[in-house]
Amino acid sequence: MKWNKVLILAAILLLVAAVAVVAVVPLGVKNATWNKYFPVVKDVNLGLDLRGGVHVVLEAKDTPEAKVTPEAMRQLRAVIENRVNQFGVAEPVIQQQGERRLIVELAGIKDPEKAVNDLVKVAYLEFKTMDGKTILTGADLKDAREAKDATSGAVEVDLEFTPAGAKKFADATTANVNKQIAILLDGQVLQAPTVQEPILNGRARITGYRSLDEAHTIAILLRSGALPVKVDVEEKRAVGPALGADSLAKSKHAAVVGTVAILVFMLIYYRLPGLIANFALLVYALIVLFIYVGMHVTMTLPGIAGFLLSLGIAVDANVVIFERIKEELRAGKSIGAAIDAGFKRGFVAVFDSNATTVLAAIVLYYLGTGPIRGFAVTLIIGIAASMFTAITLTRWLLRLVAAANISKNPRVYGA
Amino acid sequence: MFHFIKLRKYWYILSLAIIIPGLFSLMVRGLNLGIDFTGGNILEVRFTQQVTIDRVRQVVESLDLGSGRNVQQSGERDFIIRTRPLSQEENDKLLDALRKNLGQTTLLRSDHVGPVIGRELTRNALLALLIASVLMVVYITLRFEFKQGIAAIIALLHDVLVTTGIFSLFQFEVDSAFVAALLTIIGYSINDTIIIFDRIRENMRVHRRGEELGELINVSLWQTLTRSINTVLTVMFVLLALYFLGGTTIKNFVLAMLIGVSSGAYSSIFNASPLWYDLKMMEKKKALRTA
């Protein structure tokens, strides 16, 4: 046995094990610069299916009053963005797809149903006189805030008009003293107060809400303005926080069990090379995790499946090569020569087979949507990383093992 | 030691024995398409108190949103309710009715897919399968030969038919993840086939004159057999762990993968190589006749 090589080998294996532990187990290091990178797992972007949230595809529809134009879509997007920002969601995603679709993704909200409702509410505000004449609309509104009346404690929404709106409101209240003016939201009369005297300061209030929350929602809707076109919810996938947490826990559990099963199998069947392959597999998993974090890949349930599948593919690359090495050993080659020949012959097969899988994954990426894309991305990253670890790292480690001269017995190599 | 090539008739028969009932079922009953393809609503709810499935059905049926057969229990107090595409108001009405009649209700999942999206998805899914297959034939033709490409694609078609056939036979639900599963199966099956073809390619180089092609293929298959078995085993470990321990939402995806991966391992050994052998023999016969 050559002890210096054994030492190098042991050092490498220890290092890998240490990094692996640090990557997944929080150590409670308080140092901020370090904490940024460890534990890696914490920084993986979780998809909506794992942490709860809602994915909505909105489609703008033509109506006799409003046609869908690029300009209308820009306005629509602005209004939706405005509303989303009011929800106070971290990292919302709003993107246009095609000519008339908007994709909105909100993570970690408590009540996804309500969020979707608020998102697509029309919120068309009108002030009308008794004879049905529209005095002003939401377009004349400068601001809307929920508030509590200091004396009565009643919940209200305070409205402030633009200068033009203030002028219109002043004229209308002057002309309608002792008459009612109706306030309508989405065509429904909210209230119809009687005008006591002309209101010249450009302010009005709507009362009669049950809670501050309700007033808050209305205020948001009014502030963000009416949607410029009719919008339908084409697709909605809402995952409650309970199910998200449940899925995450279950997937983690499944991933651990599946991985351990692979590790044990490799160790029993391939012995020393199996051990090396297991370490290569750990490095592989780490590389993949780092890429996920670096590229901001969003981890979804299908993504986890893609990751685990690529783990299987990574194992396969090793299996193909190890089988070759065993053959070469049986043919009477020395351990070093068998390792080299095994890698050389195994590589072509591994490359060709992975190339075809990547082709399928690329097609999936371009034609798939949402979670399917996530699956394709994780699969491609996984295959690329597995090629690297199986070809480069395993080979290097195995050569080191051979050089360390730990054993000349081919049985140790599984042959 | 049995001979893979000499016994090929039996492998073909076994494959057909699985595919034909599946094809028949596909034609007669079709697939149990989920809302991803048909459009519709899925609501998964958890009740605070113990509720029977009949009570949930009653509530759903009272609202006239689609038949109550589409209520399914997914956990101890969890239920999945499938309906036609609902408007937001109908959706709220259903939730309200559940709360009013059956007590506190937590919304676990609420999916809505409009009919338009479903149609687009179907088109994209078929397109993806087609494009992926063509690309793979081209790649194999470049790296190997056209006849091996054809044999590999037939094996791959075999896996797709076995998987969809079984899904049709047992009426498992098909969603967009199923398409992802199919494409992965295709990738996996090709992967498997290519490792074997690679060995054949290598053995052909030292091919002695007079050695029968069937023998050469047989030897190659035996040489790669341990690897084939071990790889399937490791993938199976992962899939089984996912199936039994993973979340409910990917059950069907994993099930499709389990069927497809087994079928892929089988077809790579028992269909792809024997088919290539038959294609080669046809070529030889033709050459003899024209000579």
Side-chain angles (χ1 to χ4, degrees):
Chain A
M1 223 181 279
K2 288 192 181 137
W3 288 103
N4 56 338
K5 300 275 182 194
V6 175
L7 221 62
I8 295 176
L9 197 66
I12 292 169
L13 299 192
L14 265 175
L15 186 75
V16 169
V19 173
V21 168
V22 176
V24 288
V25 182
L27 289 180
V29 188
K30 285 281 178 281
N31 189 325
T33 47
W34 275 81
N35 253 359
K36 236 170 94 186
Y37 303 103
F38 300 101
V40 180
V41 174
K42 178 192 76 191
D43 291 327
V44 174
N45 233 339
L46 292 180
L48 299 174
D49 53 352
L50 293 175
R51 58 172 162 168
V54 60
H55 166 102
V56 201
V57 178
L58 303 176
E59 183 158 303
K61 295 271 160 78
D62 287 322
T63 52
E65 295 86 41
K67 293 268 182 288
V68 178
T69 60
E71 180 53 31
M73 285 305 287
R74 266 196 295 280
Q75 275 177 31
L76 174 67
R77 190 179 165 148
V79 173
I80 297 281
E81 258 168 19
N82 209 337
R83 288 185 184 180
V84 166
N85 290 337
Q86 314 268 0
F87 296 154
V89 179
E91 298 168 56
V93 175
I94 302 166
Q95 53 190 181
Q96 190 166 346
Q97 184 196 47
E99 274 169 28
R100 46 182 67 204
R101 275 192 195 152
L102 277 185
I103 298 174
V104 183
E105 286 187 349
L106 311 170
I109 44 175
K110 270 196 223 95
D111 192 345
E113 287 299 297
K114 185 175 171 300
V116 175
N117 265 336
D118 293 347
L119 213 55
V120 297
K121 265 229 179 98
V122 186
Y124 196 65
L125 182 77
E126 287 169 298
F127 282 68
K128 278 189 175 174
T129 56
M130 291 289 285
D131 49 3
K133 228 180 77 197
T134 303
I135 310 163
L136 36 75
T137 66
D140 298 307
L141 207 62
K142 189 173 156 201
D143 200 8
R145 296 276 161 197
E146 73 277 13
K148 248 184 183 163
D149 190 285
T151 45
S152 69
V155 178
E156 59 187 38
V157 174
D158 292 339
L159 305 176
E160 190 186 338
F161 298 116
T162 59
K167 169 97 178 41
K168 284 186 214 167
F169 196 53
D171 291 349
T173 45
T174 312
N176 287 285
V177 174
N178 290 329
K179 283 185 206 155
Q180 280 181 312
I181 287 185
I183 304 171
L184 295 92
L185 189 64
D186 295 340
Q188 281 197 312
V189 179
L190 285 177
Q191 57 186 150
T194 307
V195 179
Q196 313 283 346
E197 53 186 291
I199 301 170
L200 305 174
N201 65 353
R203 287 175 188 277
R205 62 163 82 159
I206 313 171
T207 54
Y209 297 106
R210 272 164 294 166
S211 67
L212 204 58
D213 259 0
E214 196 185 339
H216 178 64
T217 306
I218 299 289
I220 288 176
L221 291 174
L222 292 177
R223 273 208 295 281
S224 59
L227 303 178
V229 278
K230 184 174 180 295
V231 169
D232 276 354
V233 177
E234 270 306 302
E235 187 184 343
K236 178 191 70 183
R237 289 172 196 278
V239 176
L243 186 65
D246 200 41
S247 302
L248 187 60
K250 278 186 174 161
S251 310
K252 272 186 187 165
H253 193 182
V256 169
V257 171
T259 310
V260 168
I262 290 182
L263 295 181
V264 170
F265 174 79
M266 289 297 282
L267 196 61
I268 291 175
Y269 198 89
Y270 291 103
R271 297 172 209 170
L272 191 57
L275 180 70
I276 299 295
N278 285 347
F279 270 94
L281 218 57
L282 272 185
V283 174
Y284 160 79
L286 287 175
I287 291 175
V288 169
L289 277 176
F290 274 114
I291 296 177
Y292 286 170
V293 174
M295 284 179 55
H296 301 292
V297 172
T298 301
M299 206 64 203
T300 57
L301 274 179
I304 289 178
F307 170 70
L308 290 176
L309 198 71
S310 69
L311 208 65
I313 292 173
V315 175
D316 184 45
N318 280 322
V319 168
V320 169
I321 290 163
F322 291 169
E323 285 300 324
R324 282 303 185 121
I325 293 176
K326 271 162 62 174
E327 273 176 49
E328 302 291 335
L329 281 173
R330 283 198 207 104
K333 280 198 180 145
S334 73
I335 287 168
I339 291 172
D340 281 344
F343 270 94
K344 214 174 122 203
R345 299 204 159 160
F347 176 76
V348 190
V350 171
F351 181 85
D352 277 339
S353 63
N354 282 347
T356 47
T357 309
V358 168
L359 280 179
I362 290 174
V363 172
L364 257 189
Y365 181 80
Y366 278 104
L367 292 174
T369 50
I372 294 193
R373 278 196 150 183
F375 174 77
V377 171
T378 50
L379 198 58
I380 293 169
I381 291 174
I383 289 174
S386 80
M387 294 277 282
F388 168 76
T389 47
I391 309 297
T392 320
L393 191 75
T394 318
R395 176 186 212 160
W396 184 58
L397 286 175
L398 269 183
R399 274 211 185 126
L400 208 56
V401 169
N405 223 350
I406 291 171
S407 173
K408 280 209 179 342
N409 187 353
R411 289 184 62 89
V412 176
Y413 292 83
Chain B
M1 206 151 81
F2 65 74
H3 201 295
F4 289 102
I5 299 300
K6 279 189 187 145
L7 297 173
R8 63 186 184 283
K9 200 168 67 191
Y10 298 102
W11 314 142
Y12 296 156
I13 290 172
L14 181 60
S15 289
L16 290 176
I18 297 172
I19 289 175
I20 289 172
L23 268 180
F24 189 69
S25 168
L26 270 173
M27 281 185 289
V28 177
R29 294 198 293 175
L31 289 165
N32 175 12
L33 291 175
I35 65 164
D36 284 351
F37 295 103
T38 57
N41 266 55
I42 290 184
L43 213 61
E44 192 170 353
V45 289
R46 176 173 294 167
F47 296 103
T48 317
Q49 60 201 57
Q50 209 70 297
V51 172
T52 62
I53 190 162
D54 290 329
R55 293 279 293 124
V56 183
R57 264 186 201 136
Q58 270 173 20
V59 174
V60 176
E61 270 165 12
S62 71
L63 288 170
D64 188 32
L65 302 170
S67 92
R69 256 179 316 151
N70 296 322
V71 177
Q72 183 192 331
Q73 190 152 10
S74 63
E76 206 187 327
R77 282 173 286 117
D78 302 352
F79 293 86
I80 296 175
I81 300 162
R82 291 186 169 76
T83 57
R84 61 174 166 77
L86 300 183
S87 69
Q88 197 62 40
E89 295 91 69
E90 288 172 314
N91 193 46
D92 292 345
K93 224 163 72 188
L94 176 57
L95 271 175
D96 280 346
L98 289 172
R99 288 204 175 105
K100 215 172 285 159
N101 291 296
L102 304 169
Q104 222 204 325
T105 312
T106 317
L107 189 64
L108 295 177
R109 176 163 66 111
S110 158
D111 292 349
H112 163 91
V113 180
V116 182
I117 297 255
R119 235 175 291 134
E120 283 172 23
L121 204 72
T122 315
R123 206 192 54 210
N124 279 359
L126 291 174
L127 201 62
L129 287 176
L130 196 71
I131 294 175
S133 306
V134 171
L135 284 178
M136 285 191 271
V137 175
V138 170
Y139 184 85
I140 296 173
T141 307
L142 288 177
R143 296 285 297 164
F144 297 87
E145 59 163 79
F146 181 64
K147 283 202 173 64
Q148 277 175 324
I150 293 300
I153 290 299
I154 295 176
L156 175 161
L157 209 62
H158 167 273
D159 304 331
V160 170
L161 286 177
V162 166
T163 313
T164 42
I166 290 178
F167 264 65
S168 169
L169 274 173
F170 294 96
Q171 291 289 299
F172 296 133
E173 193 180 301
V174 170
D175 54 15
S176 59
F178 180 80
V179 179
L182 274 191
L183 279 164
T184 317
I185 289 163
I186 288 178
Y188 180 87
S189 165
I190 283 273
N191 199 313
D192 229 17
T193 307
I194 282 186
I195 300 277
I196 295 168
F197 281 176
D198 168 78
R199 188 45 85 93
I200 294 175
R201 177 170 64 182
E202 190 182 318
N203 287 338
M204 295 275 275
R205 276 192 214 121
V206 289
H207 184 48
R208 285 181 308 266
R209 282 188 82 85
E211 189 186 11
E212 214 263 322
L213 183 67
E215 288 302 324
L216 188 143
I217 296 175
N218 194 44
V219 168
S220 307
L221 283 171
W222 275 103
Q223 282 171 338
T224 47
L225 196 62
T226 318
R227 174 261 158 201
S228 297
I229 294 170
N230 286 355
T231 300
V232 173
L233 276 181
T234 49
V235 175
M236 284 291 173
F237 291 155
V238 173
L239 288 175
L240 287 173
L242 274 177
Y243 187 77
F244 288 109
L245 305 170
T248 46
T249 35
I250 47 166
K251 273 251 152 83
N252 274 345
F253 171 80
V254 178
L255 187 64
M257 290 282 293
L258 274 170
I259 298 169
V261 164
S262 324
S263 164
Y266 176 85
S267 71
S268 297
I269 299 172
F270 297 97
N271 293 146
S273 302
L275 277 171
W276 180 61
Y277 177 76
D278 281 332
L279 286 173
K280 275 287 190 194
M281 287 301 110
M282 271 194 259
E283 174 190 73
K284 217 177 234 172
K285 263 188 209 146
K286 218 160 133 202
L288 279 176
R289 235 180 289 134
T290 48

